[in-house]
Amino acid sequence: MNLFDIDPGLIEALRAADSVAVLTGAGISAESKIPTFREAMTGLWAKYDPTELATPQAFARDPKLVWDWYQWRRDLVADAEPNPGHRALAQMEKLFDEFLLITQNVDSLHQRAGSTKLVELHGNIARTKCSQDGRVVASWPETDQTPPPCPHCGALLRPDVVWFGESLPGHALTGAMKAASNCDVFFSVGTSAVVEPAASLIYYAMNNRAVTVEVNPNPTAQANMVTYALAGPSGEVLPQLLAALEAAR
Ligand code: BV8
């Protein structure tokens, strides 16, 4: 993907924009060597379907299996570094009066890249909470029990992420919907745009007549309705977009 591939119309729209919203999915962390959600099931986990494993039912049925899966993913995330795509978005937030990064990812890589104007729609794998009262637990006594018991009430601890069938954090979803409804340019980066309600945020932007942009090496079902479909890896496309924007300012 070369600089000239980025349509001057998109640069013009960004130059004129007061408000930008960006939705990201697992694809933006692919170049940080974190497998995307559907690829995540490699090796030991190849025989499980993530949409089956990331559920309250799976945790009730086999809490150790689910806890161990998240431990495996925590280790993947701990070894990962933000990539140029994460860093470009951290820069982009400084260029607009209003900017919100809406991530479906639970890997903290946006925060580690320096993004501050951010909502996490699906929680964060680094946080652990009590499965009974939802209270976040920062530490617990050493135990050979897996999952460990909550130090406050003894119920099982679980990752502080949103499982399928669970509601999203109200403040995060409200903030995301507001940003999508009011933005001049909406980006959908590294997401297969399948999981709801995140996948519907683009419609709020379109209803507000925003310019919409997809960044994905594999066009999604939404590719034929966006204003610009940038078919490339976000770790290359976003830095080039940022360079073109800064050159035009
Ligand atoms: C809910 C945390 C209300 C856990 C995750 C309509 C309305 C409401 C709900 C539903 C609905 N229809 C269906 C539902 C139910 C369900 C749902 O959406 N099901 C799907 C399977 C159809 N939704 C829910 O349950 C949500 N809750 O709506 O609450 C409610 C309450 C009670 C009862 C009913 C409803 C909760 C959903 C949240 C689930 N939790 N994560 C964890 O991580 O373990 S979802 C998880 O999967 C991720 O967070 C992410 O959201 C999703 C994976 O999607 P992507 O991020 O897009 O990743 P994917 O691998 O799919 O795609 C990667 C993309 O990157 C690809 O396109 C690829 O081409 C691209 N790519 C690859 N390399 C690169 C790249 N792009 C750029 N650069 C690269 N280098």
Side-chain angles (χ1 to χ4, degrees), residues 34-50:
I34 296 182
T36 61
F37 209 77
R38 275 138 188 78
E39 293 162 3
M41 309 314 280
T42 54
L44 181 62
W45 305 102
K47 59 181 181 293
Y48 299 105
D49 168 357

Side-chain angles (χ1 to χ4, degrees), residues 73-138:
R73 289 175 62 194
R74 278 196 187 102
D75 294 346
L76 276 179
V77 166
D79 294 343
E81 289 297 325
N83 67 57
H86 296 105
R87 286 198 289 275
L89 291 179
Q91 284 306 317
M92 265 179 81
E93 79 173 32
K94 300 169 187 163
L95 302 181
F96 301 96
D97 296 342
E98 278 180 33
F99 182 94
L100 187 66
L101 175 51
I102 305 158
T103 191
Q104 301 172 86
N105 297 340
V106 297
D107 59 26
S108 307
L109 290 184
H110 285 303
Q111 294 94 318
R112 288 176 53 196
S115 287
T116 59
K117 298 173 181 172
L118 167 103
V119 290
E120 293 179 312
L121 291 182
H122 297 158
N124 191 301
I125 202 168
R127 283 195 307 270
T128 299
K129 69 179 182 183
C130 173
S131 61
Q132 191 62 38
D133 63 21
R135 180 169 23 175
V136 172
V137 175

Side-chain angles (χ1 to χ4, degrees), residues 24-31 35-40 50-51 53-54 69-70 73 83 103-106 121-123 125 159 161-168 189-198 200 215-220 232-236:
T24 62
I28 195 165
S29 296
E31 291 156 275
T36 61
F37 209 77
R38 275 138 188 78
E39 293 162 3
T51 54
L53 218 45
W69 181 48
Y70 280 93
R73 289 175 62 194
N83 67 57
T103 191
Q104 301 172 86
N105 297 340
V106 297
L121 291 182
H122 297 158
I125 202 168
V161 297
V162 179
W163 281 332
F164 289 99
E166 294 185 322
S167 300
L168 277 60
V189 180
T191 180
S192 58
V194 165
V195 172
E196 296 291 357
S200 292
V215 179
N216 195 322
N218 313 302
T220 71
S234 46
E236 291 174 30

Side-chain angles (χ1 to χ4, degrees), residues 213-228:
V213 189
E214 177 174 276
V215 179
N216 195 322
N218 313 302
T220 71
Q222 294 182 346
N224 56 15
M225 62 179 209
V226 294
T227 321
Y228 301 100

